[in-house]
Amino acid sequence: MSQHDDEQFRLFVQRQWGSLVRTAYLLTGDRGTSEDLAQSALEKTHRRWDRVLRRDAPEVYVRRVMVNTAISWRRRRRLLEVPLLTSDSALTRDAYAQVEERQLLLAALRRLPPRTQAVLVLRYFEDLSEADTAEVLGCSVGSVKSQASRGLARLRAEFSPPAPQSPVRLEEEVA
């Protein structure tokens, strides 16, 4: 890799680091792991930087690497790691309802299948179009639509208020 390519990569990392770590956090649910994921994706991207530049879409490439790596880590972790502490999933009471709702949403997002989680993160948190999301994930736009629909339906079901019970009529109480 030429010195010019190295400089371009360094500038790319400086511009995109915050956004990549945010996306990684939404995919992993843990700050330390998100930084590891972003760094790992950037390392894999650096190896192919000259080819990535020819495609004129380094942001898409890095995000695709992040999604694939996160899914791979999740599969491996499921088999090898047994979490001893539930500190990431335990919700702490907070005075602000908005913060609490955000924590609940992130926890619900983490319970979705990895591919559905990736679609929702890219579409709604990163605000990518369906076509861009499909490009990042290497799938069809229809697949993105169906995954998003199923994922949103699961989140809505989890956050919908319980059905109201019918009020007891006075005549029934008296009888």
Side-chain angles (χ1 to χ4, degrees):
M1 186 180 317
S2 72
Q3 187 174 3
H4 177 69
D5 286 348
D6 274 340
E7 181 63 21
Q8 280 186 313
F9 183 76
R10 190 182 65 74
L11 291 172
F12 172 78
V13 171
Q14 284 178 337
R15 280 192 320 270
Q16 296 294 319
W17 179 254
S19 174
L20 293 174
V21 170
R22 183 181 67 232
T23 300
Y25 178 77
L26 293 168
L27 291 171
T28 63
D30 178 75
R31 284 208 192 280
T33 306
S34 67
E35 290 175 356
D36 290 346
L37 177 59
Q39 190 169 2
S40 178
L42 287 168
E43 177 186 355
K44 291 174 183 180
T45 302
H46 186 262
R47 288 186 221 146
R48 303 179 190 279
W49 186 245
D50 54 336
R51 283 185 251 159
V52 172
L53 283 179
R54 280 187 253 139
R55 298 176 76 196
D56 293 327
E59 295 88 359
V60 170
Y61 184 86
V62 172
R63 282 191 169 78
R64 178 180 293 165
V65 170
M66 283 175 51
V67 167
N68 291 339
T69 303
I71 290 170
S72 173
W73 286 0
R74 195 169 174 182
R75 285 182 187 137
R76 235 181 297 148
R77 185 183 73 211
R78 194 177 304 144
L79 298 173
L80 301 176
E81 288 184 20
V82 177
L84 299 176
L85 300 174
T86 59
S87 62
D88 250 359
S89 61
L91 299 175
T92 58
R93 295 208 180 261
D94 195 315
Y96 301 101
Q98 185 178 9
V99 173
E100 189 172 317
E101 286 174 7
R102 183 176 296 138
Q103 292 290 4
L104 290 170
L105 176 60
L106 288 173
L109 186 64
R110 279 185 234 124
R111 287 191 294 273
L112 293 174
R115 198 73 167 174
T116 304
Q117 182 181 6
V119 167
L120 293 179
V121 166
L122 294 172
R123 278 286 292 131
Y124 301 106
F125 287 92
E126 291 297 317
D127 202 27
L128 296 182
S129 68
E130 290 169 340
D132 290 341
T133 302
E135 185 178 347
V136 168
L137 297 175
C139 64
S140 69
V141 172
S143 180
V144 168
K145 288 180 180 181
S146 66
Q147 288 285 332
S149 176
R150 278 187 241 127
L152 290 174
R154 284 183 63 179
L155 291 176
R156 280 188 197 108
E158 194 161 330
F159 287 98
S160 64
Q165 295 181 0
S166 61
V168 179
R169 294 187 349 204
L170 284 178
E171 299 97 43
E172 292 174 1
E173 280 186 21
V174 174

